[in-house]
Amino acid sequence: MIEASAPAAATPMDDGIVAAAEACLASVGRAREAIHGVIFGQETVVDLALVTVLAGGHGLLVGLPGLAKTKLVETLGTVLGLDARRVQFTPDLMPSDILGTEILDEDQDRHRSFRFVRGPIFTQLLMADEINRASPRTQSALLQAMQERFVSVAGERHDLPRPFHVLATQNPIEQEGTYPLPEAQLDRFLLEIDVGYPDRAAERRILLETTGAEEHRAQPVMDTESLLSAQRLVRRLPVGEAVVEAILDLVRAARPAGGDAAIADKLLWGPGPRASQALMLAVRARALIEGRVAPSVDDVAALAEPVLKHRMALTFAARADGETIPGLIGRLVGRL
């Protein structure tokens, strides 16, 4: 769950925030340019992934194979100066394969003791590739660590690095032999990011720049400390009353009980307060990567779908009538 430590309403920007913002805006802008220089034709996806990290959350990338999801995570890790690892999820993957396990050691004096061997989750940026391929037991172990930010093995607590982010992927078409994430676990992801096909111009650039003798590689732009400073700044940015009201109006309207009367009967369930928290942080992060020190209602509209889509579900009757979650969200956004 996202920690609710940020103020809910706008406050005047003091000199400290102004100075921090000026120092941060340039480095975040350079990081954004560096990522766009390696990942072609996925500008929105790159920006949403960057919003996820700056807001301190986790992201779910949904797209077909070959659309640069792995390349995106690798590039994010390099540009932001993070230690990045990748785990390919399979049905036989066990929780200990991700979290780590204890092994029995014996020294030269034949004294035996247990030693904890850390798993790949002990990294700053983890790509959980095809997360729905793993069993529910393994999924829940990862998602619990995502929320708690520590791992418990044999009664001992092992804190995860800071920052710690998970970008998980799913293939929206291939569902044979998969274990769909339960709704309560989907809610742990700040954003659901749809990864689509690039346009013709972008695909032409991909052909020309990635099949030659040399391939452009990303270079570090930020480091761990500067990223943590940017994440702290995101929580300190002022939010105007109009933006706060837009967030509340949007999230509350998307619920079957007490929501917008035009769509209430089409929903099985809707977003809870965690969605409001996610949207509040995400709009601040989006403003920062676009060179602004305060979010607007336009940021709320732009982030409504990736924040809300995985936190809502349609009734059977609504699906039979051809309704879609993005369509309903679009109607709500049009009323902001």
Side-chain angles (χ1 to χ4, degrees), residues 100-106 112-117 153:
T101 188
E102 285 196 324
I103 62 173
L104 185 63
D105 271 351
E106 183 176 312
R112 295 180 179 178
S113 61
F114 284 100
R115 175 170 60 89
F116 178 63
V117 178
V153 177

Side-chain angles (χ1 to χ4, degrees), residues 29-108:
R30 290 195 303 271
R32 185 190 190 192
E33 284 184 20
I35 299 169
H36 281 303
V38 176
I39 307 297
F40 312 133
Q42 300 288 0
E43 287 77 10
T44 300
V45 172
V46 168
D47 287 351
L48 290 176
L50 197 52
V51 163
T52 300
V53 174
L54 287 176
H58 311 287
L60 182 63
L61 300 166
V62 179
L64 296 170
L67 296 178
K69 297 187 295 294
T70 302
K71 185 71 171 178
L72 170 61
V73 179
E74 176 188 325
T75 304
L76 270 174
T78 300
V79 170
L80 300 179
L82 300 177
D83 175 34
R85 297 183 185 178
R86 174 174 176 258
V87 175
Q88 182 68 50
F89 278 58
T90 58
D92 60 348
L93 197 71
M94 300 296 292
S96 59
D97 296 328
I98 300 172
L99 307 183
T101 188
E102 285 196 324
I103 62 173
L104 185 63
D105 271 351
E106 183 176 312
D107 60 22
Q108 293 179 347

Side-chain angles (χ1 to χ4, degrees), residues 96-167:
S96 59
D97 296 328
I98 300 172
L99 307 183
T101 188
E102 285 196 324
I103 62 173
L104 185 63
D105 271 351
E106 183 176 312
D107 60 22
Q108 293 179 347
D109 297 327
R110 304 184 68 83
H111 292 149
R112 295 180 179 178
S113 61
F114 284 100
R115 175 170 60 89
F116 178 63
V117 178
R118 294 184 170 191
I121 198 173
F122 286 88
T123 189
Q124 294 172 319
L125 182 62
L126 177 69
M127 181 177 187
D129 207 1
E130 294 191 277
I131 188 173
N132 55 334
R133 291 283 180 194
S135 68
R137 181 182 177 188
T138 303
Q139 290 176 1
S140 62
L142 171 66
L143 289 156
Q144 182 179 9
M146 286 165 50
Q147 176 160 341
E148 304 298 338
R149 309 281 173 150
F150 67 85
V151 169
S152 293
V153 177
E156 293 292 327
R157 170 174 171 154
H158 304 274
D159 290 325
L160 294 171
R162 292 192 62 206
F164 172 68
H165 304 282
V166 173
L167 292 178

Side-chain angles (χ1 to χ4, degrees), residues 307-319:
V307 168
L308 298 180
K309 184 165 54 178
H310 57 298
R311 295 179 165 100
M312 301 168 63
L314 294 172
T315 63
F316 176 80
R319 294 198 305 272

